[in-house]
Amino acid sequence: IENCHVVSNYWKKLMREMADPICPFEQYDAYQELATLAADRRVSRLRQLVHALPRLNFNTLKFIIDFMRVVVQHEPQNRMNHYNIAVTVGPNIFRPRIVRPQDLFSAGTYYDVVIKMMENFDAVFGETNPLQDSRMLEEITTGEFKSGGAPQRAPMQQTFGGPVGANGSSQPAQLASAGSSDSGQQLK
């Protein structure tokens, strides 16, 4: 692959178009409430929230965050620091079912959450490395659980091309409300 931006843009598009994001709609507000906690309590609460995710979502999020940590290690070459990663990845992990005015003002909370996940990876996720854990990698790619049974609820449903946004369009609400169209445009 000659241009890494093609792969990253395609990945972000797939994440945006999933019917249910990595952080389920039901948990969206709980992550927003992290900003109201004392700084010394945020990581432990973040760990509780992350471990409450369905297993496939947890494994996928852990893999994504660990991979983003690798990307940050190459900041001198790619200019992707923790904040730039959070701005790029955060909206694809945390997405409300319906965009409310307060969601527009609290976007920084989700950037902070992604940064906390990267900076406190072991404390938030545990000590296994998903990039080196072949069982976890297999579960993420196949959706089949070799141990521990089925996830708590249906795993992320991928209905690419189906209704995604609250307005019934095939675009997520935040894109549809801006009136954008994917036809002929470069992915963002």
Side-chain angles (χ1 to χ4, degrees):
I1 297 174
E2 294 179 25
N3 187 342
C4 63
H5 300 289
V6 171
V7 175
S8 66
N9 287 336
Y10 182 69
W11 174 76
K12 289 185 293 185
K13 180 178 174 36
L14 290 176
M15 294 286 290
R16 279 193 307 264
E17 292 183 356
M18 289 185 342
D20 199 3
I22 299 285
C23 171
F25 297 121
E26 303 82 36
Q27 293 181 1
Y28 180 83
D29 288 332
Y31 284 90
Q32 191 171 9
E33 292 169 3
L34 286 170
T36 65
L37 296 176
D40 61 334
R41 294 187 54 222
R42 289 183 189 156
V43 172
S44 63
R45 177 65 179 137
L46 179 57
R47 178 180 171 78
Q48 291 173 342
L49 291 171
V50 165
H51 283 268
L53 290 169
R55 184 168 176 181
L56 184 59
N57 296 48
F58 173 86
N59 287 347
T60 304
L61 179 62
K62 185 174 182 177
F63 182 86
I64 290 168
I65 297 299
D66 198 36
F67 181 70
M68 294 300 114
R69 292 170 61 216
V70 172
V71 172
V72 169
Q73 290 174 357
H74 299 281
E75 180 185 357
Q77 295 83 25
N78 63 26
R79 291 181 271 165
M80 295 301 287
N81 59 29
H82 286 98
Y83 180 78
N84 291 342
I85 290 287
V87 169
T88 305
V89 174
N92 298 306
I93 294 171
F94 302 101
R95 176 167 44 97
R97 189 179 309 274
I98 298 172
V99 178
R100 306 164 296 190
Q102 70 258 30
D103 296 326
L104 301 175
F105 294 108
S106 64
T109 299
Y110 297 102
Y111 305 157
D112 290 342
V113 169
V114 172
I115 291 168
K116 286 235 181 288
M117 286 180 189
M118 287 188 285
E119 291 177 343
N120 300 283
F121 184 81
D122 289 340
V124 171
F125 292 99
E127 298 198 21
T128 61
N129 181 341
L131 296 177
Q132 296 174 352
D133 185 340
S134 60
R135 183 182 50 83
M136 183 182 294
L137 206 58
E138 183 178 347
E139 289 179 357
I140 291 169
T141 56
T142 66
E144 296 178 19
F145 298 93
K146 304 293 184 209
S147 61
Q152 300 165 9
R153 62 180 202 73
M156 300 173 295
Q157 299 167 355
Q158 299 179 2
T159 56
F160 305 114
V164 173
N167 58 7
S169 76
S170 63
Q171 298 176 344
Q174 64 267 39
L175 295 177
S177 64
S180 66
S181 168
D182 279 327
S183 59
Q185 291 185 354
Q186 183 180 4
L187 300 173
K188 295 181 180 177

